[in-house]
Structure formats: C-alpha cells, structure tokens
Amino acid sequence: MTNYLQLINSLQPIDVIVAKKRTGIGRILDHYVVHLGNGVFVGNLKGCVKQISHCELLELLKEYEPVKVRRFTGNQFQIQQAISRATQKLGHKYSFLGFNCEHFANWVQYGKESSSQVTNGFLIALGFVTFKLITSDEGKR
C-alpha cells in the first residue's frame, strides 16, 4: 500500500503509469494509465476509454506492476490541451491493434495515436514470415 501511495503522490498532471502484468506471458506487454491531475485517472481498458476510480486503480495495480512513470514535460497550456484530448476520447472503444491503452496514452501526451508495441509486433511477424519464405525456398532447391 505504501508503494501505491508513493506512486500516486509522485504524479503530476498528464504523467503516465506504465505497468506490466505481474505474472505470465502478459509480462511482454506494457499497460498505460494516464493521470489527469487531482487524483483523476483515465485509461483505455475494459472495453473503452474511461475514468478509473482509485479502487479500480488499486485493483489494477494488484494485477499489473508499475515499471515506470512516463513524465509529461509540457507547460500549463499543453497540459490543458492534453486534458482536452483525453476527455475527447472518453467512451472510445478499445481495439488491440487500432486503439489500445498505448495509443490512448500517446494521444493524450503527444497528440498522436501510436503504439510501438503494435508496430513492433507487426515487424516481428513480418520478419518471421519472411524468414519462413526464405528458408522454405532454400529447401526446394
């Protein structure tokens, strides 16, 4: 509980908590929750972008271990723009490939919907397919 309180108290507006599943294969993926300020958290989970209560965040942090805080470095005007971007997406449906929690966090902090995890996954899959095609052609010669 102390770690939870330390984490919450260290956050500034638009900081993002980056967390990993505590166990299992899910540890390979990061999960993102945005702190809007004044103890308000928003994340793209459980079907859509929504505000997360402290109880829900505490439950989430039982399953996910915070691994870092991605700090927001903008000024007061940029903070207000980021809060506006976050609230515009409330209710937006979750999509693993098209709009996941990383897409949302990047949209809020940087104004760009992007996910390095999705991009890297596609590149790995493309590399695997390319490798299989190359090695299967070599076997036919």
Side-chain angles (χ1 to χ4, degrees):
M1 184 70 119
T2 305
N3 290 339
Y4 172 77
L5 292 175
Q6 287 174 336
L7 173 67
I8 300 307
N9 290 332
S10 75
L11 296 174
Q12 299 296 315
I14 316 305
D15 284 349
V16 171
I17 299 171
V18 182
K20 290 191 175 289
K21 275 217 176 226
R22 291 186 182 274
T23 60
I25 189 101
R27 285 199 56 81
I28 64 172
L29 297 175
D30 291 332
H31 190 73
Y32 299 78
V33 174
V34 179
H35 178 247
L36 295 187
N38 298 320
V40 177
F41 295 88
V42 178
N44 191 5
L45 63 146
K46 297 186 180 177
C48 69
V49 176
K50 66 177 216 152
Q51 187 169 329
I52 302 166
S53 71
H54 280 280
C55 290
E56 289 172 307
L57 183 62
L58 188 55
E59 284 301 310
L60 185 72
L61 294 177
K62 286 180 184 176
E63 187 177 350
Y64 291 85
E65 174 185 10
V67 292
K68 70 179 176 179
V69 172
R70 194 171 75 189
R71 299 287 180 194
F72 185 71
T73 58
N75 60 34
Q76 196 60 38
F77 177 72
Q78 292 165 323
I79 288 171
Q80 291 307 312
Q81 286 181 311
I83 290 170
S84 178
R85 283 193 296 272
T87 57
Q88 287 172 3
K89 293 291 186 180
L90 288 172
H92 193 279
K93 291 199 185 292
Y94 179 92
S95 167
F96 182 72
L97 297 178
F99 192 72
N100 62 38
C101 59
E102 185 181 14
H103 287 100
F104 174 69
N106 288 337
W107 165 249
V108 173
Q109 282 192 322
Y110 310 122
K112 294 177 79 175
E113 291 179 15
S114 62
S115 171
S116 62
Q117 295 178 115
V118 170
T119 301
N120 291 340
F122 277 127
L123 291 174
I124 290 167
L126 180 63
F128 180 75
V129 168
T130 302
F131 175 76
K132 290 300 279 179
L133 288 172
I134 290 170
T135 57
S136 68
D137 283 347
E138 286 178 6
K140 292 179 182 177
R141 291 182 192 171

